Amino acid sequence: MHKTNFLVGMGLGMAVGSCAGAMMKPRKKNPKNVVGKTLKTMGDVVDAVSSSMGL
């Protein structure tokens, strides 16, 4: 095996790996939407706890 073949293979592997990693990266979510969902969930939890305690 020649050194140039090894370097070409390494470069190709790194390029394919970085492209695959970029495709699997999760998309950014809208922060306002995340905060809204979190507040709604927390409200539901508070309602469930208070109703189970009889308040």
Side-chain angles (χ1 to χ4, degrees):
M1 176 162 66
H2 297 287
K3 192 173 188 176
T4 56
N5 288 340
F6 176 75
L7 293 176
V8 168
M10 284 292 293
L12 186 61
M14 289 174 64
V16 169
S18 63
C19 287
M23 287 176 24
M24 290 184 215
K25 180 180 163 185
R27 296 180 186 169
K28 291 185 178 180
K29 296 182 180 179
N30 188 0
K32 291 182 181 178
N33 192 17
V34 172
V35 170
K37 285 183 179 181
T38 303
L39 289 175
K40 183 180 178 194
T41 303
M42 288 302 294
D44 292 343
V45 168
V46 168
D47 287 341
V49 169
S50 63
S51 66
S52 68
M53 292 175 65
L55 297 175

